[in-house]
Amino acid sequence: MYWSPWLKLFFVQTIISSNHIRGPSGLLLAHRLVQSQLPLNKIDIYESRSDPRDIQQKFAGRAYALGLGMRGRTAIRSVDEELWNATKKRGNECERFRLHFNSKWNIKLRDKEEGVERSCLIYQTDLCGALLDELDTRANSNARNVKVHFDSIIDHVDLLSSTISMKTGKKENTQGQKITGPYDLIVGCDGSNSIVRDALQAYSPPNTFSYTQRKLLPGCFKVARLGKMPPLMDPESVGLILPESKSLGITAFVEPTVGGGACILFAGKLPNNNDEATTTTKSDDNGVNLGPVLFPHPDSKEEDRSIPDIDTVKDLIVGQFPLLEGTPGMKDVVQQLLSQRTSVADSVKCNIYNSNSDVTAVAICGDAAHATGGVSGQGCNSALMDSAALADCLVEHYRPSSDCSDTIQSAKRAMLHQSVSSYSQKVVPEGYALYDLSFGNDGKTLPIFRNVRAMLSNGIDAIFSGRFGIGQKPLQTLLASSSTSFKEIRRDRQKYFVEEFPSDQCLREKLETLYEPGSAASKLASSIGRVA
């Protein structure tokens, strides 16, 4: 296709920062941009880790199966059905979910529903690998200049010069500093410790952009992969197992994965300073407490830990979770757990997801904008929806016209800022609502009567799940199997919350006026939170 000379200046150079592929939102955004008719000069994707398709990366570190529900599927299908089919082949479809109170008693929280598509359980590396393979093919066939830069650690984003600074090479052997750019659009899909988000804060006017970030202490987790599902568990159902000693404070979340395998996510809490691996408090008969063994503090040194032998730890785990009895490769599971650093999730809440019009057009997606630390089970799904929403806004608002050829650069900048501003209007309310749905009242307390009613309602929902006209679907099921917006679900569940969720008009006005000097929204911005 021939482009007239004036239009060449409207070509957009885009950077997608995907620091640590914790989610594939950056790759999905690249797919949408490749598919679009937008005049793109090039797309650069920077990823701090190595190619997830490398066999060594595929099994490196912790890796748990993500659950792609209705929202994630819808986002991927916004490219086309073929991309979803290519993705689905890498995972395992599953619609069942059981809560195991012990080895004999369990309740079914979710089962097969007529007309409801199953969730797809897929490892992060497999999901990103599928999207990368398809991206390579589609970018070439559409003559799009897309480059994925692996082992590229971004450490600074300059929103005045529109450039980024990075170190290349593996983390343990970086090869010096490199500056690249300028870029017309910068998108941060770089996780809860986002460098792009830090740049947004640094280059925003006082009392405008703000965010809160918290470590979800004392909660922590570790993950192990299995070659086969535990033989005592339903191979077609996700299972949440409670320990035999309920005071232990550890749960096991077992997911069936592709090829008949499985993964187990152990979630617990960090030990107190006074806890020792050999204490007899809440311990097994041999005097070993499972909690501190599985979850030593992330900052502790290995030489300072007292770690029992693998057989002892295996017996401790099976003793607390008898449904894991007879699991093939259980010793390898223990080895995986003991070799991992204890992971602690973050929560993030931003008051807006785009930059002000005085600097480079910037948008943040996924955990960079709204992290819930896995509490909701919607982190990946909501990040994918963010990417789809941002692509929709770019297609809607970035429309070069020969009528503005005299002011090409300013027109391009204005259209990109219009796009990212419209993106914030669409997704910030969803981020707020998901945060509420994940953390409830976040320290605030309902009045006694309302609290009792809420507890009873939750119990009824868990038992009946709306069957026989009693109660409704549990929140987690509703989030996974429904396309209902988060804000609509949040408003529908107002009885569980102390504070009212803001109206659409209130949210819209705050976002529209946030970057206006002296605006009421600017003065209120600090109430949403500064960096903790």
Coordinates of all heavy atoms in Angstrom, one line a residue, residues 191-254:
G191 N 4.1 -5.3 35.1 CA 3.9 -5.9 36.4 C 3.8 -4.9 37.6 O 3.8 -3.7 37.4
S192 N 3.7 -5.5 38.8 CA 3.4 -4.7 39.9 C 4.5 -3.7 40.3 O 4.3 -2.7 41.0 CB 3.0 -5.6 41.1 OG 4.1 -6.5 41.4
N193 N 5.7 -4.1 39.9 CA 6.9 -3.2 40.2 C 7.2 -2.4 38.9 O 8.4 -2.3 38.6 CB 8.1 -4.0 40.7 CG 7.8 -4.6 42.0 OD1 7.3 -4.0 42.9 ND2 8.1 -5.9 42.1
S194 N 6.2 -1.8 38.3 CA 6.3 -1.2 37.0 C 7.3 0.0 36.9 O 7.1 0.9 37.7 CB 5.0 -0.8 36.5 OG 5.0 0.0 35.4
I195 N 8.2 -0.1 36.0 CA 9.1 1.1 35.7 C 8.3 2.2 35.0 O 8.5 3.4 35.2 CB 10.3 0.6 34.9 CG1 11.1 -0.4 35.7 CG2 11.2 1.8 34.6 CD1 11.7 0.0 37.0
V196 N 7.4 1.8 34.1 CA 6.6 2.7 33.3 C 5.7 3.5 34.3 O 5.6 4.7 34.2 CB 5.8 2.0 32.2 CG1 5.0 3.0 31.5 CG2 6.8 1.3 31.3
R197 N 5.2 2.8 35.3 CA 4.3 3.5 36.3 C 5.1 4.5 37.1 O 4.6 5.6 37.4 CB 3.6 2.5 37.2 CG 2.6 3.1 38.1 CD 2.1 2.1 39.1 NE 3.2 1.6 40.0 CZ 3.4 0.2 40.2 NH1 2.6 -0.7 39.7 NH2 4.3 -0.1 41.0
D198 N 6.3 4.1 37.4 CA 7.2 5.1 38.2 C 7.5 6.3 37.3 O 7.5 7.4 37.9 CB 8.5 4.4 38.5 CG 8.4 3.4 39.6 OD1 7.4 3.3 40.3 OD2 9.3 2.6 39.8
A199 N 7.6 6.2 36.0 CA 7.8 7.3 35.1 C 6.6 8.2 35.1 O 6.6 9.4 35.1 CB 8.2 6.8 33.7
L200 N 5.4 7.5 35.1 CA 4.1 8.3 35.1 C 4.1 9.2 36.3 O 3.7 10.4 36.3 CB 2.9 7.3 35.1 CG 2.3 7.0 33.8 CD1 1.1 6.1 34.1 CD2 1.8 8.2 33.1
Q201 N 4.4 8.6 37.5 CA 4.4 9.4 38.7 C 5.5 10.6 38.7 O 5.2 11.7 39.0 CB 4.7 8.6 39.9 CG 4.5 9.4 41.2 CD 4.7 8.5 42.4 OE1 5.7 7.7 42.5 NE2 3.9 8.6 43.4
A202 N 6.6 10.2 38.2 CA 7.7 11.2 38.2 C 7.4 12.4 37.2 O 7.9 13.5 37.5 CB 9.0 10.6 37.7
Y203 N 6.7 12.2 36.1 CA 6.5 13.2 35.1 C 5.1 13.8 35.2 O 4.7 14.6 34.3 CB 6.8 12.7 33.7 CG 8.3 12.4 33.5 CD1 8.9 11.2 33.7 CD2 9.1 13.4 33.0 CE1 10.2 11.0 33.5 CE2 10.4 13.2 32.7 CZ 11.0 12.0 33.0 OH 12.3 11.8 32.8
S204 N 4.3 13.4 36.2 CA 3.0 14.0 36.3 C 3.0 15.2 37.2 O 3.9 15.3 38.1 CB 2.0 13.0 36.9 OG 1.8 11.9 36.0
P205 N 2.1 16.2 37.0 CA 2.0 17.4 37.9 C 1.7 17.0 39.3 O 1.2 15.9 39.6 CB 0.9 18.2 37.3 CG 0.8 17.7 35.9 CD 1.2 16.3 35.9
P206 N 2.1 17.8 40.3 CA 1.8 17.4 41.7 C 0.3 17.2 41.9 O -0.5 17.8 41.3 CB 2.3 18.7 42.5 CG 3.3 19.3 41.6 CD 2.8 19.0 40.2
N207 N 0.0 16.2 42.8 CA -1.3 15.9 43.2 C -2.2 15.5 42.1 O -3.4 15.8 42.0 CB -2.0 17.1 43.9 CG -1.2 17.5 45.2 OD1 -0.8 16.6 46.0 ND2 -1.1 18.8 45.4
T208 N -1.6 14.8 41.1 CA -2.4 14.2 40.0 C -2.3 12.7 40.0 O -3.0 12.1 40.8 CB -2.0 14.8 38.6 OG1 -0.6 14.6 38.4 CG2 -2.3 16.3 38.6
F209 N -1.4 12.2 39.2 CA -1.3 10.7 39.2 C -0.7 10.2 40.6 O 0.2 10.8 41.2 CB -0.3 10.3 38.1 CG 0.0 8.8 38.2 CD1 -0.9 7.9 37.6 CD2 1.1 8.3 38.8 CE1 -0.6 6.5 37.6 CE2 1.4 6.9 38.8 CZ 0.5 6.0 38.2
S210 N -1.4 9.2 41.1 CA -0.9 8.6 42.4 C -1.3 7.1 42.4 O -2.1 6.6 41.7 CB -1.5 9.3 43.6 OG -2.9 9.2 43.6
Y211 N -0.6 6.4 43.3 CA -0.9 5.0 43.4 C -0.5 4.5 44.8 O 0.4 5.1 45.4 CB -0.2 4.1 42.3 CG 1.3 3.9 42.4 CD1 1.8 2.8 43.0 CD2 2.2 4.9 41.9 CE1 3.2 2.6 43.1 CE2 3.5 4.7 41.9 CZ 4.1 3.6 42.6 OH 5.4 3.4 42.6
T212 N -1.1 3.4 45.2 CA -0.7 2.7 46.4 C -0.2 1.3 46.0 O -0.7 0.7 45.1 CB -1.8 2.5 47.4 OG1 -2.9 1.9 46.8 CG2 -2.3 3.9 47.9
Q213 N 0.9 0.9 46.7 CA 1.4 -0.5 46.5 C 1.7 -1.1 47.8 O 2.4 -0.5 48.7 CB 2.7 -0.4 45.6 CG 3.2 -1.8 45.4 CD 4.4 -1.8 44.4 OE1 5.0 -0.7 44.1 NE2 4.9 -3.0 44.0
R214 N 1.2 -2.3 48.1 CA 1.4 -3.0 49.3 C 1.8 -4.4 49.1 O 1.4 -5.1 48.2 CB 0.1 -3.0 50.2 CG -0.5 -1.7 50.5 CD -1.7 -1.9 51.4 NE -2.7 -2.8 50.7 CZ -3.8 -3.2 51.3 NH1 -4.1 -2.8 52.5 NH2 -4.7 -4.0 50.7
K215 N 2.8 -4.9 49.9 CA 3.0 -6.3 50.0 C 1.9 -6.9 50.8 O 1.5 -6.4 51.8 CB 4.4 -6.5 50.7 CG 5.6 -6.1 50.0 CD 5.9 -6.9 48.8 CE 7.2 -6.6 48.1 NZ 7.4 -7.4 46.9
L216 N 1.3 -8.0 50.2 CA 0.2 -8.6 50.9 C 0.6 -9.5 52.0 O 0.4 -10.7 52.1 CB -0.6 -9.4 49.8 CG -1.2 -8.6 48.7 CD1 -2.0 -9.5 47.7 CD2 -2.1 -7.5 49.3
L217 N 1.4 -9.0 52.9 CA 1.9 -9.7 54.1 C 0.7 -10.0 55.0 O -0.2 -9.2 55.2 CB 3.0 -8.9 54.8 CG 4.2 -8.6 53.9 CD1 5.1 -7.6 54.7 CD2 4.9 -9.8 53.6
P218 N 0.8 -11.1 55.8 CA 1.8 -12.1 55.8 C 1.6 -13.2 54.7 O 2.3 -14.2 54.8 CB 1.7 -12.7 57.2 CG 0.3 -12.6 57.5 CD -0.2 -11.4 56.8
G219 N 0.7 -13.0 53.8 CA 0.4 -14.1 52.8 C 1.6 -14.3 51.9 O 2.3 -13.4 51.5
C220 N 1.8 -15.6 51.5 CA 2.9 -16.0 50.7 C 2.5 -17.3 50.0 O 1.5 -17.9 50.3 CB 4.2 -16.1 51.5 SG 4.1 -17.3 52.8
F221 N 3.3 -17.7 49.0 CA 3.0 -18.9 48.3 C 4.2 -19.5 47.6 O 5.3 -18.8 47.4 CB 1.9 -18.7 47.2 CG 2.3 -17.7 46.1 CD1 2.8 -18.2 44.9 CD2 2.2 -16.3 46.3 CE1 3.2 -17.4 43.9 CE2 2.6 -15.5 45.3 CZ 3.0 -16.0 44.1
K222 N 4.1 -20.8 47.2 CA 5.1 -21.5 46.4 C 4.3 -22.4 45.5 O 3.2 -22.8 45.8 CB 6.1 -22.3 47.3 CG 7.1 -21.4 48.0 CD 8.2 -22.3 48.7 CE 9.3 -21.5 49.3 NZ 10.3 -22.4 49.9
V223 N 5.0 -22.8 44.4 CA 4.3 -23.6 43.4 C 5.2 -24.8 43.0 O 6.4 -24.7 42.9 CB 4.0 -22.8 42.1 CG1 3.1 -23.6 41.1 CG2 3.2 -21.5 42.5
A224 N 4.6 -26.0 42.7 CA 5.3 -27.1 42.2 C 4.5 -27.8 41.1 O 3.3 -27.8 41.1 CB 5.5 -28.2 43.4
R225 N 5.3 -28.3 40.1 CA 4.6 -29.0 39.0 C 4.7 -30.5 39.2 O 5.6 -31.1 39.8 CB 5.4 -28.7 37.7 CG 5.2 -27.3 37.1 CD 5.7 -27.3 35.7 NE 5.5 -26.0 35.1 CZ 5.6 -25.7 33.8 NH1 5.9 -26.7 33.0 NH2 5.4 -24.5 33.4
L226 N 3.6 -31.2 38.7 CA 3.5 -32.7 38.8 C 3.4 -33.2 37.5 O 2.7 -32.7 36.6 CB 2.3 -33.1 39.7 CG 2.3 -32.6 41.1 CD1 0.9 -32.9 41.7 CD2 3.3 -33.3 41.9
G227 N 3.9 -34.4 37.3 CA 3.7 -35.1 36.0 C 2.3 -35.7 35.9 O 1.8 -35.9 34.7
K228 N 1.7 -36.0 37.0 CA 0.3 -36.6 37.0 C -0.5 -36.0 38.1 O 0.1 -35.6 39.2 CB 0.4 -38.1 37.1 CG 1.0 -38.8 35.9 CD 0.9 -40.3 36.1 CE 1.4 -41.1 34.9 NZ 1.3 -42.6 35.1
M229 N -1.8 -36.0 38.0 CA -2.7 -35.6 39.1 C -2.5 -36.6 40.2 O -2.3 -37.8 40.0 CB -4.1 -35.5 38.6 CG -4.5 -34.2 37.9 SD -4.7 -32.9 39.1 CE -6.2 -33.2 39.9
P230 N -2.7 -36.1 41.5 CA -2.7 -37.0 42.6 C -3.8 -38.0 42.4 O -5.0 -37.6 42.0 CB -3.0 -36.1 43.8 CG -2.5 -34.7 43.4 CD -2.7 -34.7 41.9
P231 N -3.6 -39.3 42.6 CA -4.5 -40.4 42.3 C -5.8 -40.3 43.1 O -6.8 -40.8 42.7 CB -3.8 -41.6 42.5 CG -2.7 -41.3 43.5 CD -2.3 -39.9 43.1
L232 N -5.8 -39.7 44.2 CA -7.0 -39.6 45.1 C -7.9 -38.4 44.8 O -8.9 -38.2 45.4 CB -6.6 -39.5 46.6 CG -5.8 -40.7 47.1 CD1 -5.5 -40.5 48.6 CD2 -6.6 -42.0 46.9
M233 N -7.5 -37.6 43.7 CA -8.3 -36.4 43.4 C -8.9 -36.6 42.0 O -8.4 -37.3 41.2 CB -7.4 -35.2 43.4 CG -6.8 -34.9 44.8 SD -6.1 -33.2 44.9 CE -7.5 -32.2 44.8
D234 N -10.0 -35.9 41.8 CA -10.7 -35.9 40.5 C -9.7 -35.2 39.4 O -9.4 -34.1 39.5 CB -11.9 -35.1 40.6 CG -12.8 -35.1 39.3 OD1 -12.3 -35.5 38.3 OD2 -13.9 -34.5 39.4
P235 N -9.3 -36.0 38.4 CA -8.4 -35.5 37.4 C -9.0 -34.4 36.5 O -8.3 -33.8 35.7 CB -8.0 -36.7 36.6 CG -9.2 -37.7 36.7 CD -9.7 -37.4 38.1
E236 N -10.3 -34.2 36.6 CA -11.0 -33.2 35.8 C -11.5 -32.0 36.6 O -12.4 -31.3 36.1 CB -12.1 -33.9 35.0 CG -11.7 -35.0 34.0 CD -12.8 -35.5 33.2 OE1 -14.0 -35.2 33.5 OE2 -12.6 -36.4 32.3
S237 N -11.0 -31.9 37.8 CA -11.5 -30.8 38.7 C -10.4 -30.1 39.4 O -9.4 -30.7 39.8 CB -12.5 -31.4 39.7 OG -12.9 -30.4 40.6
V238 N -10.5 -28.8 39.4 CA -9.6 -28.0 40.3 C -10.0 -28.3 41.8 O -11.2 -28.4 42.1 CB -9.7 -26.5 40.0 CG1 -8.9 -25.7 41.0 CG2 -9.3 -26.2 38.6
G239 N -9.0 -28.4 42.6 CA -9.3 -28.7 44.0 C -8.6 -27.8 45.0 O -7.4 -27.6 44.9
L240 N -9.3 -27.2 45.9 CA -8.7 -26.4 47.0 C -8.8 -27.3 48.3 O -9.9 -27.7 48.7 CB -9.5 -25.1 47.2 CG -9.1 -24.3 48.4 CD1 -7.6 -23.9 48.3 CD2 -9.9 -23.0 48.6
I241 N -7.6 -27.7 48.8 CA -7.6 -28.6 49.9 C -7.2 -27.9 51.2 O -6.2 -27.2 51.3 CB -6.5 -29.7 49.7 CG1 -6.7 -30.3 48.3 CG2 -6.7 -30.8 50.8 CD1 -5.6 -31.3 48.0
L242 N -8.0 -28.0 52.2 CA -7.7 -27.4 53.5 C -6.9 -28.4 54.3 O -7.0 -29.7 54.2 CB -9.0 -27.1 54.3 CG -10.0 -26.1 53.6 CD1 -11.2 -25.9 54.5 CD2 -9.3 -24.9 53.2
P243 N -6.0 -28.0 55.2 CA -5.1 -28.9 56.0 C -5.9 -29.6 57.1 O -7.0 -29.2 57.5 CB -4.1 -28.0 56.5 CG -4.8 -26.7 56.7 CD -5.7 -26.6 55.5
E244 N -5.3 -30.7 57.5 CA -5.9 -31.5 58.6 C -6.0 -30.6 59.9 O -6.9 -30.6 60.6 CB -5.2 -32.8 58.9 CG -5.3 -33.8 57.8 CD -6.7 -34.3 57.7 OE1 -7.2 -35.0 58.6 OE2 -7.4 -34.1 56.6
S245 N -4.9 -29.9 60.1 CA -4.8 -29.0 61.3 C -5.2 -27.6 60.7 O -4.4 -26.9 60.1 CB -3.4 -28.9 61.9 OG -3.0 -30.2 62.3
K246 N -6.4 -27.2 61.0 CA -6.9 -25.9 60.4 C -6.1 -24.7 60.9 O -6.0 -23.7 60.2 CB -8.4 -25.7 60.7 CG -9.3 -26.8 60.2 CD -9.2 -27.0 58.7 CE -10.1 -28.0 58.1 NZ -9.6 -29.4 58.3
S247 N -5.5 -24.8 62.1 CA -4.7 -23.7 62.6 C -3.4 -23.6 61.9 O -2.7 -22.6 62.1 CB -4.5 -23.9 64.1 OG -3.7 -25.2 64.3
L248 N -3.0 -24.5 61.0 CA -1.8 -24.4 60.3 C -1.7 -23.2 59.4 O -0.6 -22.6 59.2 CB -1.6 -25.7 59.5 CG -0.3 -25.8 58.7 CD1 0.9 -25.9 59.6 CD2 -0.3 -27.0 57.7
G249 N -2.8 -22.9 58.8 CA -2.9 -21.7 58.0 C -2.3 -21.9 56.6 O -1.8 -20.9 56.0
I250 N -2.2 -23.1 56.1 CA -1.7 -23.4 54.8 C -2.8 -24.1 54.0 O -3.5 -25.0 54.5 CB -0.4 -24.3 54.8 CG1 0.7 -23.5 55.6 CG2 0.1 -24.6 53.4 CD1 2.0 -24.4 55.8
T251 N -2.9 -23.8 52.7 CA -3.9 -24.5 51.8 C -3.1 -25.0 50.6 O -2.0 -24.4 50.3 CB -5.0 -23.6 51.4 OG1 -4.5 -22.4 50.7 CG2 -5.9 -23.2 52.6
A252 N -3.7 -26.0 49.9 CA -3.1 -26.5 48.7 C -4.1 -26.4 47.6 O -5.2 -26.9 47.7 CB -2.7 -28.0 48.9
F253 N -3.7 -25.7 46.5 CA -4.6 -25.5 45.4 C -4.1 -26.3 44.2 O -3.0 -26.0 43.7 CB -4.6 -24.0 45.0 CG -5.7 -23.6 44.1 CD1 -7.0 -23.4 44.4 CD2 -5.3 -23.3 42.7 CE1 -8.0 -23.0 43.6 CE2 -6.3 -22.9 41.8 CZ -7.6 -22.7 42.2
V254 N -4.8 -27.3 43.8 CA -4.4 -28.3 42.8 C -5.1 -28.1 41.5 O -6.4 -28.1 41.5 CB -4.6 -29.8 43.3 CG1 -4.0 -30.8 42.3 CG2 -3.9 -30.0 44.7

